[in-house]
Amino acid sequence: MTRVPVIFSEQSQRTSDSPINFFIQQAVENPNSISLAAGLVDYASLPSDEVAEAVASVLSRRQAAQQALQYGVPQGHPPLREKLLGRALALDGVTARDVSLSVEDVVVTTGSQQLLYLLCELLVNPGDLVITEAPSYFVMQQTLESAGARSLSVPIDEQGMNPDALEEVLLGLERSGELSRLRFIYVVDYFQNPTGLSLSLPRRKRILELAQRFSRQHRILILEDAAYRELRYDGPDLPSIKSFDRDNAHVMLAYTFSKPLAPGLKTGFGLMPAELVAPLLHIKGNHDFGSNNLTQHLIERLLDNGSYDRHVARLCEVYRQKRDVLLKALADAFPPALGVRWTHPEGGLYVWMTFPEDVDTGTSSELMKAATREGVLYVPGQFCYLTGENCPSPSNEARLSFGVASPDQLKEAARRLGRAYRSTITQQRALAVS
Ligand SMILES: Cc1ncc(COP(=O)(O)O)c(C=O)c1O
């Protein structure tokens, strides 16, 4: 019998294969390679004992166990939300009253990715505009495309998103009459995925002021993705943009336990302007009417008994060492004469490399082929640029992650990448001469 075609929704047709599948495929096909591409966290430091204790503690008390194994409320376990709010405020050194927040503005989600997705569903109609950093977190790029958003991008430098360039984009939208289509500005402002760079304090204030100033007929929101905030290895913490949003009007702040605790727990949360909460929960209701309740009880336990704080402190030691090993190994493998630059992140999991302009890092590039032969995997920088209207897409960059590889593997990976690069440019120059 012939099979007649299935008709897919427009959203499905806008939703393409995730680049993550490319990295997984590559890792499977090259089992002896060292992956600096995977966004996984360090295996050895995952808190298995602490989580085992939390499971035993929650499940050994009959009433607590029954509560945790029952459906929870869609917004999240109330005592956990209290604690999440308290901790978020403490990070910023503000009170709930200072920033007009209450426990009713906290929403627990299945990882912060669910919050990003739900906010697109909540706020974006096909054709609406969203501003992001260039480069930016590539899964969000897919999410925006799937929602049918038109993306505009603003370049980042060592201090994060450039507010002068943002202002230009906003003025341009005002001139073209399209400001009314702008829904939000997305920033990953702590040790950004993919560059490892953070948004400076003056720019945090400036970006909020711009969102406020251009909110003439409707509110321009900021989606502040602080996934890596607590993974800081040097220097003082920076206040969130949210902490300057005194009326709780503009900033939607997304946190996750995936990076500072364990991605397997897949739990995140958001601090939301009050009027977004009910509509957001209506949509979340259609997705799952509540994130995993047992996990929320476990996280509450890990916060209460101090395991979480001890874990974050330990993790910062582990990643500081890995970052230092990778940076030193890159310096050894890429002497200045080679003309390759990379970022020196103060936290997070990523280093961003910029090769000379004529060196392509893409999936079918000579560098990628040479790196695969040498046995080292990286993320081509192009994946991290949106395909939007004013979006550049340089092809000479790469994201390296020091999350999952061991210090010895990081050293070896940098050596392999150095060899791959030297063989690529030698071949490229030979071709140019012949
Ligand atoms: C910047 C950023 N935001 C959000 C996420 C989503 O993570 P999760 O859904 O596991 O919280 C990630 C994961 O890598 C990320 O890098």
Side-chain angles (χ1 to χ4, degrees):
M1 218 170 72
T2 55
R3 284 161 76 93
V4 292
V6 175
I7 297 177
F8 291 94
S9 70
E10 284 171 16
Q11 180 173 13
S12 158
Q13 292 174 44
R14 287 194 300 263
T15 308
S16 49
D17 190 18
S18 166
I20 289 176
N21 295 334
F22 168 76
F23 307 133
I24 293 172
Q25 177 78 16
Q26 236 196 351
V28 169
E29 284 170 6
N30 302 283
N32 295 324
S33 58
I34 304 172
S35 181
L36 302 181
L40 302 181
V41 302
D42 182 67
Y43 274 101
S45 57
L46 282 166
S48 49
D49 290 344
E50 292 83 345
V51 174
E53 189 284 329
V55 171
S57 158
V58 170
L59 295 187
S60 63
R61 288 170 290 132
R62 193 160 180 74
Q63 222 189 348
Q66 286 172 348
Q67 253 201 11
L69 293 172
Q70 186 53 275
Y71 278 123
V73 291
Q75 191 164 355
H77 182 44
L80 176 64
R81 281 194 281 122
E82 289 268 4
K83 283 167 194 145
L84 298 178
L85 177 62
R87 296 181 70 91
L89 295 170
L91 277 179
D92 279 326
V94 292
T95 65
R97 185 194 283 255
D98 287 339
V99 285
S100 313
L101 277 169
S102 86
V103 68
E104 296 311 317
D105 306 318
V106 182
V107 178
V108 178
T109 52
T110 306
S112 52
Q113 182 58 39
Q114 187 190 41
L115 183 60
L116 305 184
Y117 181 88
L118 293 176
L119 289 174
C120 287
E121 205 170 310
L122 181 69
L123 298 168
V124 178
N125 279 319
D128 285 342
L129 291 161
V130 171
I131 296 177
T132 73
E133 298 156 310
S136 182
Y137 168 46
F138 58 78
V139 182
M140 182 57 164
Q141 165 181 340
Q142 304 283 119
T143 310
L144 289 169
E145 274 176 16
S146 172
R150 285 160 57 208
S151 299
L152 297 172
S153 70
V154 171
I156 66 167
D157 58 29
E158 289 289 325
Q159 298 185 52
M161 181 184 266
N162 180 334
D164 293 332
L166 173 62
E167 187 170 9
E168 277 306 308
V169 171
L170 293 168
L171 285 168
L173 290 178
E174 193 163 52
R175 277 193 299 271
S176 66
E178 288 189 298
L179 193 60
S180 62
R181 300 297 308 255
L182 177 60
R183 295 293 165 261
F184 61 85
I185 302 163
Y186 173 64
V187 283
V188 183
D189 56 344
Y190 296 89
F191 324 118
Q192 193 222 29
N193 180 0
T195 61
L197 299 169
S198 297
L199 188 65
S200 69
L201 181 57
R203 289 189 179 187
R204 286 167 189 263
K205 296 183 182 162
R206 212 32 232 290
I207 288 172
L208 176 60
E209 279 159 16
L210 286 169
Q212 289 166 335
R213 170 147 74 89
F214 281 85
S215 291
R216 308 200 209 281
Q217 310 292 333
H218 77 294
R219 205 166 325 155
I220 295 169
L221 297 160
I222 295 174
L223 174 47
E224 179 178 21
D225 182 341
Y228 299 88
R229 177 169 186 178
E230 288 181 272
L231 296 182
R232 174 177 281 281
Y233 321 133
D234 305 317
D237 189 22
L238 286 163
S240 64
I241 307 176
K242 178 107 207 103
S243 68
F244 303 112
D245 182 25
R246 296 284 156 149
D247 301 327
N248 186 24
H250 287 273
V251 182
M252 313 175 284
L253 173 55
Y255 280 116
T256 176
F257 284 99
S258 288
K259 310 298 171 176
L261 187 60
L265 297 171
K266 202 65 193 170
T267 301
F269 68 100
L271 304 183
M272 294 290 123
E275 58 270 67
L276 269 71
V277 173
L280 177 67
L281 291 176
H282 298 160
I283 292 183
K284 184 166 163 60
N286 286 346
H287 281 256
D288 60 12
F289 46 92
S291 295
N292 185 314
N293 196 23
L294 173 60
T295 308
Q296 294 184 53
H297 283 74
L298 298 181
I299 290 179
E300 186 192 5
R301 169 82 188 157
L302 293 164
L303 294 176
D304 278 351
N305 68 11
S307 292
Y308 177 75
D309 288 326
R310 283 192 295 276
H311 182 69
V312 171
R314 229 176 13 245
L315 213 50
C316 287
E317 288 301 318
V318 168
Y319 286 134
R320 180 185 297 115
Q321 191 212 349
K322 285 194 181 193
R323 176 205 58 182
D324 291 346
V325 165
L326 178 61
L327 292 179
K328 163 88 174 55
L330 288 174
D332 292 342
F334 293 90
L338 291 181
V340 181
R341 291 176 286 125
W342 55 91
T343 55
H344 292 69
E346 293 188 327
L349 300 178
Y350 309 106
V351 169
W352 185 248
M353 290 191 91
T354 307
F355 294 92
E357 269 175 29
D358 59 344
V359 176
D360 187 0
T361 56
T363 50
S364 45
S365 65
E366 291 309 318
L367 181 64
M368 176 64 84
K369 285 182 204 149
T372 312
R373 269 194 314 274
E374 288 286 346
V376 58
L377 309 177
Y378 63 83
V379 173
Q382 267 170 320
F383 281 129
C384 307
Y385 288 92
L386 291 144
T387 44
E389 290 159 37
N390 71 338
C391 302
S393 185
S395 56
N396 60 326
E397 295 167 324
R399 189 194 79 174
L400 309 184
S401 165
F402 50 89
V404 75
S406 69
D408 282 344
Q409 286 176 321
L410 289 170
K411 274 187 220 161
E412 179 55 24
R415 276 196 288 268
R416 293 181 185 184
L417 194 56
R419 281 200 298 270
Y421 175 67
R422 277 193 294 272
S423 77
T424 305
I425 51 170
T426 308
Q427 193 188 3
Q428 211 161 296
R429 286 185 191 148
L431 277 175
V433 170
S434 65

